[in-house]
Amino acid sequence: MVKHLVSWKFKPEISEEQKAAVAADFEKRLLAVKEKAEGVIEVKVIAPPLPTSSVDLVLDSTFESAEALAAYQVNPGHVEAVGACVKPYLTDRTCCDYEI
């Protein structure tokens, strides 16, 4: 199995209400992708994390294999979710993929 962890910070001009709406929309879109894409075991959007965190939004997902992760990353629903939910509002992306 493969874990895919991605984190972002919201742009400074994004309001608390916008942050909540963006996180909810992102999660909804990614869960829809999970239902259709093969090899996706789990998708969690964490927002807001605990105040001790240095990021604002986290995607924690699990895949059957590296190939399943690669297919998910180019899935049109995933690409649309990132383009609509992430790029306009978020910055400072970090990613960690690892085998479990």
Side-chain angles (χ1 to χ4, degrees):
M1 287 193 291
V2 172
K3 289 293 283 183
H4 176 61
L5 303 172
V6 185
S7 63
W8 300 267
K9 292 196 63 74
F10 278 102
K11 293 179 179 177
E13 65 270 18
I14 305 302
S15 71
E16 293 302 317
E17 293 80 19
Q18 286 177 302
K19 290 176 184 179
V22 167
D25 187 34
F26 191 45
E27 182 172 47
K28 177 182 169 185
R29 289 171 184 255
L30 292 184
L31 288 173
V33 173
K34 176 189 179 283
E35 296 305 315
K36 297 177 184 173
E38 291 186 35
V40 183
I41 296 171
E42 182 178 42
V43 171
K44 292 189 291 186
V45 174
I46 302 160
L50 293 175
T52 53
S53 301
S54 61
V55 296
D56 299 318
L57 181 72
V58 176
L59 168 62
D60 178 355
S61 49
T62 308
F63 297 85
E64 290 177 359
S65 64
E67 294 79 17
L69 171 58
Y72 165 84
Q73 289 176 318
V74 297
N75 179 292
H78 174 264
V79 172
E80 181 181 331
V82 170
C85 298
V86 174
K87 290 190 178 183
Y89 306 100
L90 298 163
T91 186
D92 297 334
R93 178 186 184 273
T94 61
C95 177
C96 178
D97 298 328
Y98 63 96
E99 291 186 6
I100 53 174

